Amino acid sequence: MVHIKKSLQFQCNEISPSQYKITVKVSSEFVDAIYSQAVHSQQTSALTYGFAQGQTPSAYIEVTYKAPILDHIRSLLLTYCVEDKLLSGLFENEIGLSGDCVLRKAYLQPHEDAIFEFEVSSINPIKKKNWREIFIKTPTRKNYKDLDRQVESFIKEEMIKQAECKETKIKIGDFVCFDLAITDSNKKNIFGTYKQNLWLRIGEEEADKDLIDVFIGKSIGNTIFTQNIRLQEYISPDLDMPNSFLITIKTIVPHAYFDFERFKNHFEIRNNKDMESKLIEVFSYRNNLSQRRETVQVILAALSKNFNVDIPNYLLHQHKSKLLNDIQENPDYLVYKAQQDFEQKVSLLVKKQLKEIIIIDAISHQEKINVNQDEIINYLNLLKRARTKDFLYFLMPSNKINGLEAPISSENLKQYCIREKTLNYVINFLTKQ
């Protein structure tokens, strides 16, 4: 039996006040489990001169195909367990992630522990005073007559949809939480009890059909044995060494209706009157900004003035590259790029976003804020409708591979949920003074 705690170990060494060397060690048990599976897979499919297919000796496979096998395992371990261990270790050690985790070294050999070394940047902002002492004036709602009717209509429509939704099986648009185990041909988990917990949005594009067919119509508790090519792409780009997977459906977040009970839980609302008042925040607009978004901007601007954050140039360049990739997905990208001050605006936005992330992460660590599974579901509930999506400031990334929907690990998703919970925590405190 493979013991998870011993099999995945996290070690942190501070290089400088803002940089760390993080080592994630994967035990030889894990390495040998997947190594044996990869050798067997290659042995089954290899066409080797002098041997019938499937009859090539394993010793020959280990010598001839060692390099691609190790590349495959390195990629698989990173995606399947190392990155999750890295993120959970950073959180447990209260290290805010200011940029990308850069893999500096990966040592991997059969029958030995695998070593993955990362360089991580974490900036601790310097407070001018306690953030709880900040005074702010929040924007008020618009008072035109139709606003309340819009909210009432939204609530009524969604309540009808919920009453009509009797189906508990997975459908297009749903978010699905599932455990993914890598197995042998007998459906036995080759990593013992270890499974990766993932979330997936069931896409509606025809190109997503391969993955849709695995989940559609399934219910909570169902298990699925598959060699789905899209899961292969997620776990490792090397498709010459296919893996078998056992999927266990854990949770379904239906897209069919907006869940008002989860909405109330997310914002700690006690009654329907307060719920209606809260919803008005994303129906009341001024200068193309909702009341909610205005409030967030006021709060973050006040926090930014209260903290000194010195961001090194390499982090600015790193974040700028990611931001430009996101902007390029916008249909109006060429229009934006044609503006004379485009580069200046992008640079200012990069600095603003990084500063906000660093400050919010610092507060989340200070206040010991964490999220559970229910809070993740509450977050995903807000993504169901364009209006309610405006309640979220720290949006989860578009998680796609080659333009197609792909899973996102729960550890990755938690980062965005924790930031959002922290922001709400700050807003609640500063607006109730």
Side-chain angles (χ1 to χ4, degrees):
M1 177 66 70
V2 179
H3 297 282
I4 297 171
K5 262 193 173 180
K6 295 179 182 178
S7 297
L8 295 170
Q9 297 181 18
F10 177 96
Q11 183 179 351
C12 174
N13 293 301
E14 189 173 1
I15 302 171
S16 70
S18 63
Q19 284 189 301
Y20 297 85
K21 184 181 82 170
I22 307 295
T23 303
V24 176
K25 182 187 291 186
V26 183
S27 74
S28 58
E29 284 183 287
F30 263 29
V31 173
D32 287 346
I34 192 60
Y35 182 76
S36 297
Q37 180 76 359
V39 169
H40 176 72
S41 174
Q42 194 65 32
Q43 187 179 17
T44 302
S45 60
L47 296 172
T48 310
Y49 182 76
F51 297 98
Q53 185 170 355
Q55 299 300 312
T56 307
S58 60
Y60 179 87
I61 295 293
E62 289 190 55
V63 172
T64 307
Y65 295 95
K66 183 177 181 180
I69 286 175
L70 292 181
D71 285 345
H72 165 71
I73 294 173
R74 187 178 296 109
S75 176
L76 182 147
L77 290 176
L78 267 171
T79 304
Y80 189 60
C81 56
V82 171
E83 289 175 353
D84 281 0
K85 184 63 179 178
L86 173 65
L87 292 174
S88 64
L90 290 173
F91 181 80
E92 288 166 9
N93 286 272
E94 300 184 2
I95 300 172
L97 189 59
S98 303
D100 292 335
C101 299
V102 180
L103 180 64
R104 293 299 187 196
K105 178 183 175 184
Y107 175 80
L108 180 66
Q109 289 294 327
H111 320 307
E112 297 182 36
D113 293 343
I115 306 294
F116 294 83
E117 290 184 1
F118 297 87
E119 187 176 303
V120 172
S121 298
S122 179
I123 299 170
N124 292 317
I126 301 171
K127 291 185 292 185
K128 297 177 182 176
K129 62 179 179 179
N130 192 317
W131 68 266
R132 294 170 179 271
E133 299 172 5
I134 297 173
F135 174 78
I136 61 163
K137 184 177 181 182
T138 55
T140 56
R141 60 163 282 184
K142 284 281 190 178
N143 286 315
Y144 55 86
K145 295 179 181 179
D146 191 46
L147 190 59
D148 295 287
R149 287 198 295 270
Q150 287 181 39
V151 172
E152 289 167 7
S153 176
F154 174 75
I155 293 172
K156 184 179 179 180
E157 288 174 8
E158 294 297 335
M159 292 293 284
I160 291 172
K161 289 176 184 176
Q162 183 170 2
E164 292 175 345
C165 184
K166 306 298 182 183
E167 185 62 72
T168 58
K169 295 182 178 180
I170 298 170
K171 298 179 292 298
I172 298 296
D174 293 352
F175 281 100
V176 181
C177 178
F178 61 99
D179 284 340
L180 184 72
I182 301 176
T183 71
D184 58 22
S185 57
N186 296 316
K187 305 182 184 180
K188 182 181 178 181
N189 188 346
I190 64 174
F191 287 116
T193 60
Y194 180 83
K195 300 172 184 177
Q196 188 178 28
N197 190 251
L198 299 166
W199 283 92
L200 175 71
R201 180 185 175 275
I202 306 301
E204 57 188 356
E205 301 295 332
E206 181 64 26
D208 286 311
K209 191 174 186 304
D210 284 342
L211 201 51
I212 289 172
D213 289 345
V214 173
F215 292 93
I216 211 79
K218 303 299 190 299
S219 303
I220 292 175
N222 284 172
T223 57
I224 308 153
F225 183 70
T226 181
Q227 288 186 322
N228 181 267
I229 192 170
R230 294 279 302 286
L231 291 175
Q232 307 280 4
E233 290 173 350
Y234 162 75
I235 211 76
S236 171
D238 189 345
L239 299 182
D240 292 332
M241 301 179 192
N243 297 288
S244 297
F245 306 103
L246 189 64
I247 292 169
T248 305
I249 308 297
K250 307 299 287 185
T251 306
I252 302 169
V253 182
H255 182 264
Y257 61 89
F258 182 77
D259 192 325
F260 290 106
E261 289 306 311
R262 292 216 166 267
F263 178 77
K264 288 194 282 189
N265 289 339
H266 183 79
F267 288 109
E268 299 180 354
I269 295 169
R270 296 181 180 179
N271 55 60
N272 289 341
K273 183 179 179 182
D274 289 344
M275 180 183 77
E276 290 179 22
S277 178
K278 192 68 182 176
L279 282 166
I280 281 174
E281 292 182 18
V282 293
F283 282 81
S284 176
Y285 271 74
R286 183 186 290 108
N287 300 323
N288 293 322
L289 276 182
S290 67
Q291 181 191 347
R292 168 67 181 186
R293 189 50 59 103
E294 279 191 284
T295 301
V296 169
Q297 289 191 353
V298 167
I299 293 287
L300 289 175
L303 288 175
S304 293
K305 288 180 181 178
N306 191 55
F307 286 88
N308 287 326
V309 184
D310 188 18
I311 306 172
N313 285 331
Y314 75 90
L315 276 184
L316 293 171
H317 290 311
Q318 191 181 92
H319 193 73
K320 184 176 181 179
S321 177
K322 292 167 66 175
L323 181 62
L324 285 173
N325 285 336
D326 291 340
I327 295 174
Q328 286 171 16
E329 298 295 321
N330 191 304
D332 296 323
Y333 168 66
L334 294 178
V335 177
Y336 297 151
K337 191 177 180 182
Q339 304 301 312
Q340 288 186 346
D341 59 350
F342 175 74
E343 284 291 331
Q344 181 184 4
K345 284 183 176 177
V346 169
S347 296
L348 289 172
L349 182 58
V350 165
K351 192 170 185 178
K352 175 179 178 290
Q353 289 182 345
L354 266 176
K355 190 172 184 180
E356 290 169 352
I357 289 170
I358 291 165
I359 292 170
I360 288 295
D361 283 353
I363 294 174
S364 73
H365 291 311
Q366 176 189 327
E367 303 296 331
K368 310 293 184 187
I369 292 175
N370 199 357
V371 294
N372 56 33
Q373 181 79 328
D374 271 348
E375 290 169 310
I376 292 174
I377 296 172
N378 295 343
Y379 175 97
L380 295 173
N381 182 55
L382 291 170
L383 290 172
K384 294 179 184 177
R385 302 293 181 261
R387 284 281 193 185
T388 58
K389 189 176 179 180
D390 205 43
F391 276 113
L392 298 176
Y393 188 76
F394 296 104
L395 287 171
M396 63 182 284
S398 174
N399 207 54
K400 295 190 176 185
I401 296 176
N402 299 324
L404 304 176
E405 295 288 350
I408 181 171
S409 77
S410 291
E411 287 297 334
N412 196 347
L413 181 55
K414 275 175 66 177
Q415 289 186 83
Y416 303 93
C417 296
I418 289 171
R419 285 171 185 156
E420 199 64 35
K421 183 177 178 180
T422 305
L423 179 59
N424 286 326
Y425 178 84
V426 173
I427 290 173
N428 286 342
F429 184 87
L430 294 181
T431 56
K432 289 179 180 177
Q433 293 185 84

Coordinates of all heavy atoms in Angstrom, one line a residue, residues 31-41 73:
V31 N 7.0 6.5 -8.0 CA 7.7 6.4 -9.3 C 7.7 5.0 -9.9 O 7.4 4.9 -11.1 CB 9.2 6.9 -9.1 CG1 10.0 6.7 -10.3 CG2 9.3 8.3 -8.6
D32 N 7.9 4.0 -9.1 CA 8.0 2.7 -9.6 C 6.6 2.2 -10.1 O 6.5 1.4 -11.0 CB 8.6 1.7 -8.6 CG 10.1 1.9 -8.4 OD1 10.7 2.6 -9.3 OD2 10.6 1.4 -7.4
A33 N 5.6 2.7 -9.4 CA 4.2 2.3 -9.7 C 3.9 2.7 -11.2 O 3.4 1.9 -12.0 CB 3.2 2.8 -8.7
I34 N 4.1 4.0 -11.5 CA 3.8 4.5 -12.8 C 4.8 4.1 -13.8 O 4.5 3.9 -15.0 CB 3.7 6.0 -12.8 CG1 3.0 6.5 -14.1 CG2 5.0 6.7 -12.5 CD1 1.7 6.0 -14.4
Y35 N 6.1 3.9 -13.4 CA 7.1 3.4 -14.3 C 6.8 2.0 -14.8 O 6.9 1.7 -16.0 CB 8.5 3.4 -13.6 CG 9.6 2.9 -14.5 CD1 10.2 3.8 -15.5 CD2 10.2 1.7 -14.4 CE1 11.2 3.4 -16.3 CE2 11.2 1.3 -15.2 CZ 11.8 2.1 -16.1 OH 12.8 1.7 -16.9
S36 N 6.4 1.1 -13.9 CA 6.0 -0.3 -14.4 C 4.8 -0.2 -15.3 O 4.8 -1.0 -16.3 CB 5.7 -1.1 -13.1 OG 6.8 -1.2 -12.3
Q37 N 3.9 0.7 -15.0 CA 2.7 0.8 -15.9 C 3.1 1.3 -17.3 O 2.6 0.8 -18.3 CB 1.7 1.7 -15.2 CG 0.4 2.0 -16.1 CD -0.5 0.8 -16.0 OE1 -0.2 -0.2 -15.3 NE2 -1.7 0.9 -16.6
A38 N 4.0 2.3 -17.3 CA 4.4 2.8 -18.6 C 5.2 1.8 -19.4 O 5.0 1.7 -20.7 CB 5.3 4.1 -18.4
V39 N 6.1 1.1 -18.8 CA 6.9 0.0 -19.5 C 5.9 -1.0 -20.1 O 6.1 -1.5 -21.2 CB 7.9 -0.6 -18.5 CG1 8.5 -1.9 -19.2 CG2 9.0 0.4 -18.2
H40 N 4.9 -1.5 -19.3 CA 4.0 -2.5 -19.7 C 3.2 -1.9 -20.9 O 2.9 -2.6 -21.9 CB 3.0 -2.8 -18.6 CG 1.9 -3.8 -19.0 ND1 2.2 -5.1 -19.3 CD2 0.6 -3.6 -19.2 CE1 1.1 -5.7 -19.6 NE2 0.1 -4.8 -19.6
S41 N 2.8 -0.6 -20.8 CA 2.0 0.0 -21.9 C 2.8 0.0 -23.2 O 2.3 -0.3 -24.3 CB 1.6 1.4 -21.5 OG 0.9 2.0 -22.6
I73 N 6.5 10.2 -17.6 CA 6.2 10.1 -16.1 C 6.4 11.5 -15.5 O 5.7 11.8 -14.6 CB 7.2 9.0 -15.5 CG1 6.8 7.6 -16.0 CG2 7.1 9.1 -14.0 CD1 7.8 6.6 -15.6

